[in-house]
């Protein structure tokens, strides 16, 4: 049985007011939090979350474990989302 090292990432999930969604991995919580703050400060996102992912895998044994936990979550109010969406449409 070949056991791979455990893997841990912090994924920043972003939903923009335009409806586009983007998700990107970060190796550290600090990096993920920095990206989250940048997105919030842009004023163009409806929601941002950081999800911790942890994988343990053994290739030949056929076992694979994945754990995840949402550790931070930020959402804009529906009224703010609509105002930001209208503003972005005017700027295009």
């Amino acid at each position: 049985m070949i056991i791979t090292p455990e893997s841990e990432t912090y994924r920043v999930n972003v939903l923009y007011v335009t409806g586009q969604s983007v998700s990107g991995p970060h190796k550290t919580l600090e990096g993920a939090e920095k990206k989250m703050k940048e997105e919030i400060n842009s004023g163009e996102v409806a929601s941002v979350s950081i999800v911790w992912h942890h994988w343990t895998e053994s290739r030949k044994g056929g076992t694979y474990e994945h754990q995840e936990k949402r550790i931070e979550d930020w959402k804009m109010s529906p009224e703010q989302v609509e105002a930001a969406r209208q503003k972005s449409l005017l700027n295009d």
Side-chain angles (χ1 to χ4, degrees):
M1 177 187 297
I2 299 172
I3 298 177
T4 61
E6 293 185 1
S7 174
E8 184 173 277
T9 60
Y10 297 90
R11 187 163 285 278
V12 179
N13 302 325
V14 182
L15 175 63
Y16 291 93
V17 295
T18 56
Q20 177 188 11
S21 64
V22 176
S23 181
H26 295 269
K27 291 186 178 198
T28 65
L29 179 58
E30 292 80 16
E33 288 174 334
K34 180 180 177 189
K35 177 65 174 173
M36 182 181 200
K37 288 175 187 169
E38 288 172 0
E39 292 292 353
I40 291 169
N41 290 336
S42 75
E44 299 176 2
V45 297
S47 67
V48 183
S49 61
I50 298 175
V51 181
W52 169 79
H53 292 271
H54 184 266
W55 292 271
T56 306
E57 159 181 27
S58 62
R59 292 188 179 157
K60 289 193 175 180
T63 60
Y64 173 83
E65 292 180 11
H66 173 244
Q67 298 174 343
E68 69 177 58
K69 180 172 64 171
R70 187 174 305 266
I71 56 175
E72 289 194 39
D73 209 6
W74 178 88
K75 288 186 180 184
M76 187 184 276
S77 74
E79 296 79 18
Q80 290 174 313
V81 169
E82 190 54 38
R85 183 176 289 130
Q86 293 302 321
K87 183 179 176 183
S88 72
L89 290 173
L90 292 174
N91 291 336
D92 288 342

